[in-house]
Amino acid sequence: MQRLTGIGVSPGVVSGRAVVLMQRAQVLRYRVAPERIADELARLDQSRLRSRQQLQDIRARIGRRRGPELAALFDAQLLMLDDPMLVPRAEGLVRDTLVNAEWAVQQVFDEFSAIFDEIADPYLRERKGDVADLVGRLKMNLRQDVSSPRDLLSALEEASVLIADELTPSLVAQVDWTKVRGFATDAGSRTYHTAILARSLEVPAVVGLHCAVDRIQPGQMVVIDGTENAIIIDPDAKTLALAERASTDHRPARHGEGDRRRPAATADGVRITLDANIEFADDLAHARYAGAEGIGLYRSEFLLTSHRALPTEDQQYEIYRRMLEGMAPGTVTVRTFDVDEDQMARRSTDPTLGGSWISEEERGSRQGLRGLRLSLTRPELFRTQLRALLRAARHGSLRIMFPFVSGVEQVRSARQLVSEAAADLQARGIVVPHVPIGVMIEIPAAAYTADLFAREVDFFTIGTNDLIQYCLAVDRADERVSRLYEPLHPAILRVILTVRRAATRARIPVSLCGEMASDPALLTLLVGLGLTEFSMTPGAIGVAKQVLSELRSDDLRALARRVLRLPTVDEIEQELLAALGRYSIR
Ligand code: PEP
Ligand code: MG
C-alpha cells in the first residue's frame, strides 16, 4: 500500500482499477485481459502490415517525383519495421505484461531512445528521428481500429480510475464518465481547466501528484480521495472497504426544489445573479437543475474537441439554438473559441481529434496566440462561428463574448467581423437581431484600461482564472508554483475593484466567471467589492445561494473596505475567516 499526496480538486472517494494515460506521448496504457491478448497481437500485426504498405507507397511516390536517392531514405524505416528489436519486442511486452499494443510500442521506443542518446556519432544519433517517425506511424495505424481515446476507454470492462500525466479538457470531453469513476494527474492546480471540469462532472479528482504515472501499473487497484488530497495505490482490505463505503456515502449536496428556484439575494435583499459556466450543450439540464438563471459562460471551444472535424455553420447553429431555447428566458453568454496554439497543434498531429487547423511550421511563439487574438488570424473560421451565433440569436437571449483580449483595437476588428457576418446573413434574407457584445477581462492590460473598453462593449465578464495567472505571473497548470496562485492577493482584489468601478461608471453590466466565484468565502468578498453577477460551476450554485442569504451586503462592503487595506494574503484570509465565522475557506 502506498499513499501519494496531491491537491484534491473535486471531493469524494472512489476506488477502481487504474487506466494509465500518457497524454504527452498520446498513449493510453491499460491492462488487457488474458483472453484478449491474441486480438491485441493481431492489431499490432495489422498495424505493421499497414505501415509497410504506406512506406512502400511513399517510397514509390517520392522516387517518381524526386529520384531514387531520396526514396532510399525510406528503406531504412522499412528495414527497421522488420527488426526483431521493434515489433517482435513489442509483441513480447504485450504477451508478458498484458499491456495494450500502443503502450508496448511506446515502451520499445523509449528503450531505443535511451540507446540512441548515448551514441557519440551524430549521424547515427540522428537515426532516432527515423525510429520516432516509424513508431508514430505504428501508433497511428493502431488507432485505425479504435478511433479515439474515448473508444479505448469504453472498451474497458470494469469501473476504472484514470491516472494521467496531464489530462487536457479535450480528452476529458471524450471520456465516458459512466465507466471512469475518478481521476488523478501528475500536473495541475486547483484552477487547472480539467479540475474545473471534474467539479462540474462531480467525479473525485486529485491533481499535482508529480509521479503517479510512473508508480502505478495498469490494472492496479487505486483509491482516489479528493477530500483528503491523496491517492492510495494497492490499498489493503480495510482501506478499500472504507473507500467503498465512503464512495456510496458521498453524494453531492442536493437542495430542495424550492431552494433551487429561489433567486439569490443577500439577507438585506440585494439581488445577486448566479449563472452557470458550462462546457457542453448537454450540461444545460444540469445548470437549470442547479438553479442557474442563465449561462454566464459557455466555453464554446469544447465544440472543437467533441467533433471529429471543425463543426460547420449549420452544426454550430443547431447547438447554439438548442442552448438558447433550452435556457429561455435566461440569457446564454457564448464565449467565442478560446483555444491556444498548443491545442490546435495537437489537433493537427492527432488524426483522432479531427481536422488540421495549423501546421507545425505555422507555430510561432508559444505564448499568447489564443482566444480572440487567434480567431482574428483565422477570419473564415471566426466568421463561421459568428454567423452561426447571429442566426441562433432569434431563438432566445444571446450575448457574444470575446476571450483573451488585450487591446481595444482587437475588439474593433472583431466587431467589424460581426458586422460582416451579419451582412452575409442579411444577404441570405436572414433577419439578425441586436446581440450584446462583450469582452472577458482576463489580461491585466484589459483590466487597467477597463474604462476605455467600457466605451466599446456592452458588458464585461471578469475571468479571474487567467487574470490571476497573468497578474501574479503564475502558471495555473504548474503545480510547482500553484501555491502562489492566490485569489486573495491584494493586487487581485484591487484589479477586480478597478474593473467593477469602470463598468459602474459606464453603466454596463459586469459579471465574474472565474473559479473564485465558486468558493463561497471568496464570493462574499466579491459581493463586498460591489459585484452582483456571477457565473460558476453549476454544483456551486446551491451553496452560494445559501451563504449569500445569511449575510448582509452592508457587512460585506465593510469587510471589503477593511480587507483592501491589508498588505498580505494571510492577513486578508484571517480577516475574511473571522468575519464569516462558520464559513471557512477550504
Ligand atoms: C477565466 O479565465 O477566468 C475563465 C473563466 O476562462 P477559462 O478558465 O476558460 O480560461
Ligand atoms: Mg480565461
Side-chain angles (χ1 to χ4, degrees):
M1 186 160 99
Q2 195 186 357
R3 186 184 170 93
L4 301 181
T5 309
I7 307 166
V9 290
S10 182
V13 186
V14 283
S15 58
R17 300 233 166 250
V19 176
V20 183
L21 171 70
M22 302 288 279
Q23 171 100 345
R24 279 177 205 133
Q26 306 247 351
V27 192
L28 189 65
R29 166 190 178 196
Y30 57 94
R31 187 175 182 277
V32 178
E35 60 276 16
R36 288 181 48 201
I37 288 295
D39 296 343
E40 202 61 15
L41 292 171
R43 281 179 64 221
L44 188 51
D45 198 45
Q46 270 303 318
S47 159
R48 188 171 56 84
L49 292 175
R50 270 188 211 127
S51 300
R52 160 161 310 121
Q53 189 59 53
Q54 289 161 357
L55 285 168
Q56 283 168 343
D57 290 349
I58 295 171
R59 188 178 57 174
R61 217 170 43 239
I62 299 238
R64 277 196 302 276
R65 286 202 205 136
R66 300 279 171 91
E69 218 167 292
L70 217 54
L73 284 177
F74 291 90
D75 288 340
Q77 290 200 20
L78 278 162
L79 279 173
M80 276 180 220
L81 199 56
D82 291 328
D83 193 306
M85 280 300 288
L86 194 67
V87 178
R89 165 108 184 97
E91 285 170 351
L93 284 174
V94 171
R95 236 188 322 261
D96 299 343
T97 57
L98 305 181
V99 290
N100 54 312
E102 289 86 350
W103 181 256
V105 168
Q106 181 65 32
Q107 281 292 98
V108 171
F109 175 65
D110 290 346
E111 289 169 13
F112 259 104
S113 285
I115 297 168
F116 274 101
D117 287 343
E118 283 173 10
I119 296 176
D121 183 305
Y123 174 79
L124 283 177
R125 214 170 42 224
E126 274 178 23
R127 295 307 98 216
K128 181 173 155 185
D130 284 331
V131 188
D133 206 23
L134 184 59
V135 164
R137 181 173 300 284
L138 281 166
K139 288 195 310 203
M140 177 184 81
N141 284 323
L142 277 167
R143 274 201 292 256
Q144 289 235 329
D145 303 326
V146 273
S147 53
S148 74
R150 181 189 182 133
D151 294 344
L152 283 174
L153 287 164
S154 60
L156 299 170
E157 278 149 25
E158 48 190 325
S160 313
V161 293
L162 190 57
I163 312 291
D165 50 354
E166 66 174 323
L167 204 49
T168 55
S170 64
L171 188 75
V172 170
Q174 295 177 65
V175 171
D176 176 355
W177 292 102
T178 60
K179 292 257 163 73
V180 178
R181 291 175 161 183
F183 71 82
T185 64
D186 285 343
S189 65
R190 201 177 152 74
T191 52
Y192 186 45
H193 262 185
T194 303
I196 299 171
L197 277 171
R199 285 197 285 284
S200 59
L201 289 161
E202 296 180 345
V203 295
V206 178
V207 304
L209 285 161
H210 305 280
C211 57
V213 289
D214 299 327
R215 301 265 178 98
I216 299 171
Q217 295 301 316
Q220 231 173 344
M221 198 56 152
V222 176
V223 170
I224 295 187
D225 189 338
T227 313
E228 293 292 326
N229 304 314
I231 67 168
I232 297 150
I233 308 166
D234 273 341
D236 57 24
K238 193 168 144 223
T239 311
L240 194 59
L242 280 174
E244 303 257 302
R245 206 171 64 227
S247 79
T248 43
D249 285 353
H250 168 74
R251 291 278 175 272
R254 294 272 174 244
H255 300 268
E257 182 71 14
D259 285 349
R260 284 198 306 271
R261 295 249 168 115
R262 176 172 49 87
T266 59
D268 54 334
V270 174
R271 266 285 274 125
I272 308 287
T273 306
L274 299 182
D275 289 341
N277 292 347
I278 63 168
E279 283 77 38
F280 306 101
D282 292 345
D283 295 341
L284 209 66
H286 186 196
R288 285 194 78 109
Y289 177 81
E293 289 186 47
I295 302 300
L297 170 66
Y298 167 51
R299 292 181 162 105
S300 72
E301 61 274 13
F302 280 81
L303 274 178
L304 306 175
T305 54
S306 42
H307 282 68
R308 290 275 157 83
L310 290 174
T312 62
E313 180 187 316
D314 282 348
Q315 284 170 332
Q316 288 187 56
Y317 161 72
E318 281 305 325
I319 292 164
Y320 303 143
R321 183 176 64 85
R322 214 156 27 94
M323 286 177 64
L324 286 164
E325 287 174 348
M327 208 60 210
T331 298
V332 176
T333 303
V334 176
R335 170 172 85 183
T336 57
F337 301 140
D338 186 9
V339 273
D340 64 23
E341 285 180 290
D342 258 0
Q343 289 161 320
M344 290 218 267
R346 236 178 251 140
R347 261 181 207 99
S348 75
T349 52
D350 182 353
T352 65
L353 289 182
S356 163
W357 280 25
I358 193 169
S359 65
E360 272 307 308
E361 309 86 71
E362 274 183 87
R363 296 178 64 188
S365 123
R366 291 177 59 83
Q367 256 234 341
L369 191 54
R370 170 187 150 186
L372 181 64
R373 297 160 171 195
L374 192 59
S375 291
L376 290 174
T377 69
R378 295 285 184 283
E380 259 326 302
L381 181 82
F382 193 34
R383 260 194 227 107
T384 304
Q385 182 175 34
L386 293 172
R387 279 196 303 269
L389 283 167
L390 294 176
R391 274 171 66 190
R394 52 195 181 93
H395 299 284
S397 171
L398 171 73
R399 303 197 304 177
I400 296 177
M401 176 164 77
F402 301 131
F404 217 67
V405 176
S406 57
V408 163
E409 60 279 18
Q410 293 152 16
V411 176
R412 290 184 182 161
S413 305
R415 276 193 172 277
Q416 176 62 31
L417 287 168
V418 173
S419 304
E420 286 170 23
D424 287 350
L425 295 177
Q426 272 146 7
R428 278 154 56 182
I430 298 170
V431 180
V432 179
H434 169 74
V435 178
I437 303 282
V439 284
M440 288 201 65
I441 303 286
E442 54 184 345
I443 296 181
Y448 287 114
T449 50
D451 56 328
L452 305 176
F453 275 95
R455 298 184 205 149
E456 313 260 343
V457 297
D458 304 310
F459 66 95
F460 286 162
T461 297
I462 306 176
T464 46
N465 298 344
D466 278 307
L467 191 57
I468 297 170
Q469 155 158 303
Y470 291 103
C471 265
L472 301 183
V474 176
D475 179 352
R476 59 173 144 156
D478 184 345
E479 77 284 358
R480 292 166 308 171
V481 285
S482 62
R483 237 184 301 281
L484 296 171
Y485 184 96
E486 189 40 84
L488 289 178
H489 191 292
I492 302 303
L493 303 181
R494 282 160 195 236
V495 81
I496 291 172
L497 186 62
T498 303
V499 178
R500 201 276 295 151
R501 282 185 175 148
T504 307
R505 281 196 198 109
R507 294 173 205 273
I508 61 167
V510 54
S511 70
L512 187 145
C513 69
E515 267 302 286
M516 226 180 142
S518 302
D519 182 317
L522 303 186
L523 177 69
T524 56
L525 184 54
L526 293 168
V527 172
L529 291 172
L531 288 161
T532 53
E533 284 180 40
F534 301 92
S535 189
M536 59 186 71
T537 300
I541 292 176
V543 180
K545 266 187 198 170
Q546 180 66 30
V547 173
L548 290 170
S549 71
E550 294 178 23
L551 296 163
R552 293 185 56 85
S553 67
D554 43 3
D555 288 343
L556 296 179
R557 276 199 304 277
L559 166 69
R561 275 196 299 276
R562 289 198 303 280
V563 155
L564 283 167
R565 286 196 292 269
L566 297 173
T568 66
V569 173
D570 278 353
E571 285 159 279
I572 292 173
E573 196 164 323
Q574 274 165 27
E575 181 68 42
L576 186 56
L577 285 173
L580 295 179
R582 65 199 174 97
Y583 297 113
S584 60
I585 301 175
R586 31 169 202 281

